Amino acid sequence: MVKKPLNKILLLLLAVFLLPVCIFTVFQVSTLNENERVITEIYDKQLEAILFSVNQYSQDLVDAWAKDLSEAQADTLNTKERVNEFLLQNEAVQYILWVDTTLSEHLIWSFEKESTKEVEVVLLDTLFQKKEQLARLTTYQKEGYIRKEPLGTLHTKGVLANQSGLIFMLDRGRNYQICMLVLNPGSFITKTLAQKIQSVAQENFIISAYDDANDVQITVMDSIAVPVPNKRPLWLLPDYSLGIVLKGETIEDLAKRRTINNLLILLGVDLILLIGLWLIYRNIKREIKLAQIKTDFVSNVSHEIRTPLALISMFAETLEMDRAASEQKKKEYYSIIRHEANRLASIVNKILSFSKMEAGKINYELEPASLTNLVEEIINTYDYHLKSKGFQCHYSAAKDLPEVRIDKNAISEAVINLLDNAIKYSNGSKEIEVRLRQVGNEVFVEVQDHGLGISAEDQKYIFDKFYRVPSGAVHNTKGTGLGLTLVSSIMQAHQGSVKIESQPGLGSTFKLVFPVD
Ligand code: ADP
């Protein structure tokens, strides 16, 4: 009965809470990827911008070279000094070759006198193979634009191994129109470009150059130990590239850390929501159970009240109609009426006490009293009732028990409740023991039966209001489920407690524990 609405509520809660949470989580995870993509894009753009400025710088530098060399050539009287001055200032430039457009006349400049002849031959040969590029440069020059064309690595072996070339047309020269420069890439990068690179990188980035053909890193600033995801070629040295990473933490690390942090937060939020969901579910489950228990209570109480009422009505009618066969029968009927009326009163009293207890309206008047006297009084009054049902009550009390502060009426109610239960759940075993003892600073009243007993699981709930063991022979005995709730509340008001030891099939011992001052 309880399961079905609970399942529905669980499904509803899952739909209302978990579905949005799942959608939100998926959305978040997908935006995290998006963020990462955006970060990588920014990173690429940054590299592009840095590279652009480095390339722009090389271009400006080459323009200045072209201008210097054109002027040197035009200044026929001082050409040699000016070219030598140029070579002195630009360490990366190894050779300068001037050639006419027909490649018949040429002039070579260098500090390296020994190998010049050999280099001359190789360079002319190289130029010869670059006729297409030369034609292009001439066309551009006719249109008034001096273009500079990087040739990349000239040779992998020989005198010019791993040197890079660059050609352009000289501005004012007559005999020597073409200028070819041989550059040492390592020196160009570390001496000429390094300063520029350092100034664009500032404190934030590490930039390194790479000789792509030989897969060698050329350290400009600090060397980069990590793999570089993005490299871009240099304009002047097409076989070389620049790589960039963030100093300290890379963009990838940052993005990864962010992703992990966000996922952890998301996980935390999901967890909190799940806990919330579970708490709501638990509360609803409890409420539904309580509603169910209340319904059972109403039906139990109605039944409990109906039986004595029917008996009272029946015997009163018999007496009224003078249908009793003898005086003795009449006495018996009167006794039944009184007995049933008492039963009714006891049920009503229990419900009233409970409602007072719930409203916090019970005032206990605690005064020092002898528990021994009180319990003996109860047993004496109750004896007739017990014997009439065939029960044997074995009573024992320790000598000289100290007085305790109690509300006599309330404690009587508690003990009677325990005796009632011992009878109700006796399961045919007619022996009941009542004991009064003291251990240390505690005096206790024990009521033991050898009846049905209570399982460990049910023991957790029997003091809850309206709770009745839901199955088996116990369930067939009528009751309100309020007795033990009252007992527990009374004992709390006395700063004491109720303890239980019980085993199904062997019986139960309830112990009212009172503190001694
Ligand atoms: P009830 O009016 O149902 O007896 P109580 O609050 O007195 O209500 O007891 C709660 C439940 O605890 C009972 O319904 C019964 O299942 C169980 N119980 C109480 N006392 C005993 C006992 N002496 N032996 C076995 N079960 C008991």
Side-chain angles (χ1 to χ4, degrees):
M1 282 255 291
V2 181
K3 273 263 144 33
K4 266 195 177 166
L6 254 183
N7 286 348
K8 260 192 199 164
I9 285 165
L10 188 67
L11 278 177
L12 206 77
L13 282 175
L14 284 177
V16 170
F17 279 90
L18 227 53
L19 215 66
V21 166
C22 287
I23 292 171
F24 183 68
T25 310
V26 169
F27 172 74
Q28 279 298 305
V29 170
S30 64
T31 50
L32 287 177
N33 289 340
E34 175 71 6
N35 288 348
E36 226 172 310
R37 198 181 56 75
V38 171
I39 288 172
T40 316
E41 240 170 52
I42 292 169
Y43 176 67
D44 278 357
K45 279 194 184 133
Q46 200 131 22
L47 175 63
E48 215 79 62
I50 287 174
L51 200 83
F52 178 79
S53 88
V54 172
N55 277 337
Q56 190 62 46
Y57 175 76
S58 347
Q59 193 118 35
D60 292 346
L61 199 76
V62 171
D63 284 347
W65 286 353
K67 191 165 162 273
D68 278 0
L69 291 174
S70 294
E71 281 171 6
Q73 194 199 34
D75 187 2
T76 38
L77 288 177
N78 301 308
T79 301
K80 194 172 174 202
E81 287 77 31
R82 289 183 74 155
V83 173
N84 278 342
E85 175 79 19
F86 176 89
L87 284 170
L88 206 66
Q89 277 169 10
N90 299 291
E91 229 178 284
V93 180
Q94 307 288 298
Y95 301 98
I96 303 170
L97 180 75
W98 286 346
V99 203
D100 69 340
T101 41
T102 55
L103 304 185
S104 49
E105 267 188 61
H106 66 268
L107 192 62
I108 190 159
W109 305 92
S110 166
F111 283 135
E112 310 251 338
K113 297 281 177 272
E114 299 90 56
S115 57
T116 313
K117 201 79 221 143
E118 198 183 341
V119 172
E120 221 174 304
V121 178
V122 179
L123 280 182
L124 281 169
D125 191 43
T126 312
L127 261 186
F128 212 73
Q129 286 163 26
K130 307 272 178 192
K131 272 207 167 143
E132 253 177 54
Q133 270 127 314
L134 288 176
R136 236 189 352 243
L137 291 182
T138 326
T139 323
Y140 277 123
Q141 200 203 21
K142 275 182 192 153
E143 285 164 12
Y145 170 55
I146 298 190
R147 191 184 147 97
K148 286 91 194 169
E149 189 113 13
L151 298 176
T153 305
L154 295 171
H155 294 282
T156 48
K157 298 195 286 265
V159 274
L160 291 178
N162 297 326
Q163 304 292 306
S164 272
L166 167 74
I167 45 171
F168 50 86
M169 303 293 283
L170 287 171
D171 203 7
R172 304 173 205 175
R174 258 166 257 135
N175 297 335
Y176 303 110
Q177 285 267 302
I178 300 164
C179 177
M180 180 175 185
L181 300 187
V182 176
L183 298 172
N184 179 323
S187 159
F188 181 74
I189 290 168
T190 53
K191 304 249 164 62
T192 319
L193 280 190
Q195 222 180 355
K196 177 68 187 170
I197 288 174
Q198 243 148 17
S199 81
V200 275
Q202 290 181 343
E203 289 298 297
N204 310 326
F205 301 100
I206 300 173
I207 299 177
S208 207
Y210 295 87
D211 171 355
D212 292 333
N214 300 312
D215 202 15
V216 178
Q217 191 181 117
I218 301 162
T219 311
V220 184
M221 308 162 67
D222 306 329
S223 63
I224 306 172
V226 288
V228 181
N230 290 306
K231 284 186 195 164
R232 296 284 189 284
L234 279 166
W235 165 74
L236 191 57
L237 307 167
D239 306 308
Y240 289 75
S241 57
L242 277 189
I244 183 168
V245 288
L246 254 189
K247 234 179 197 169
E249 221 169 5
T250 66
I251 290 273
E252 277 72 22
D253 288 342
L254 273 178
K256 216 178 269 173
R257 197 156 53 94
R258 247 182 66 118
T259 310
I260 289 172
N261 281 352
N262 286 359
L263 277 176
L264 281 178
I265 292 170
L266 213 63
L267 217 76
V269 171
D270 288 358
L271 207 76
I272 291 170
L273 273 174
L274 271 178
I275 292 172
L277 196 76
W278 180 73
L279 283 176
I280 292 173
Y281 174 72
R282 210 181 60 162
N283 270 4
I284 290 177
K285 193 172 153 185
R286 214 183 268 165
E287 287 301 315
I288 289 180
K289 204 171 168 191
L290 202 65
Q292 182 73 40
I293 282 175
K294 276 183 182 162
T295 316
D296 288 355
F297 167 74
V298 171
S299 102
N300 276 336
V301 169
S302 313
H303 189 91
E304 283 256 297
I305 291 176
R306 210 167 38 203
T307 318
L309 275 181
L311 284 173
I312 291 170
S313 161
M314 190 178 87
F315 286 108
E317 195 183 320
T318 313
L319 288 168
E320 193 184 24
M321 301 274 179
D322 266 337
R323 284 205 209 116
S326 62
E327 267 318 294
Q328 202 190 340
K329 275 283 167 205
K330 266 188 193 170
K331 266 195 173 170
E332 196 183 314
Y333 295 163
Y334 283 131
S335 150
I336 291 172
I337 289 172
R338 190 178 56 83
H339 177 78
E340 293 303 319
N342 282 347
R343 216 173 113 189
L344 264 181
S346 125
I347 296 168
V348 173
N349 280 342
K350 212 180 261 183
I351 294 170
L352 278 177
S353 296
F354 172 73
S355 99
K356 269 195 204 164
M357 181 198 91
E358 284 273 276
K361 280 188 191 154
I362 302 184
N363 284 326
Y364 295 100
E365 280 168 19
L366 304 187
E367 51 185 10
S370 155
L371 264 181
T372 320
N373 292 348
L374 182 74
V375 173
E376 277 171 9
E377 237 172 74
I378 296 169
I379 290 179
N380 286 337
T381 330
Y382 219 67
D383 204 42
Y384 171 76
H385 182 66
L386 283 167
K387 289 223 168 90
S388 68
K389 293 200 168 206
F391 279 86
Q392 280 274 325
C393 181
H394 306 282
Y395 167 73
S396 66
K399 273 193 187 140
D400 303 325
L401 284 177
E403 287 196 329
V404 281
R405 283 174 57 76
I406 50 169
D407 178 316
K408 282 196 196 167
N409 288 335
I411 297 303
S412 299
E413 196 182 336
V415 175
I416 290 171
N417 260 312
L418 295 185
L419 285 170
D420 264 345
N421 282 350
I423 296 169
K424 274 203 289 187
Y425 306 109
S426 62
N427 199 25
S429 159
K430 304 277 180 180
E431 305 285 317
I432 295 174
E433 278 117 67
V434 178
R435 290 183 290 269
L436 270 151
R437 284 196 286 156
Q438 178 176 17
V439 174
N441 278 342
E442 287 175 343
V443 175
F444 42 80
V445 181
E446 273 179 338
V447 177
Q448 183 176 10
D449 65 59
H450 304 278
L452 290 164
I454 307 166
S455 70
E457 183 60 21
D458 285 321
Q459 285 178 31
K460 290 186 213 157
Y461 306 109
I462 52 168
F463 297 102
D464 292 355
K465 56 189 173 190
F466 306 125
Y467 187 83
R468 309 198 69 231
V469 173
S471 57
V474 189
H475 195 62
N476 300 330
T477 316
K478 288 293 157 199
T480 55
L482 294 178
L484 288 180
T485 315
L486 281 170
V487 173
S488 160
S489 157
I490 290 169
M491 289 315 292
Q492 269 173 28
H494 285 76
Q495 266 86 49
S497 59
V498 202
K499 290 193 175 137
I500 175 176
E501 277 167 29
S502 184
Q503 270 190 33
L506 294 179
S508 319
T509 305
F510 283 87
K511 199 192 270 185
L512 304 180
V513 185
F514 298 86
V516 181
D517 286 341

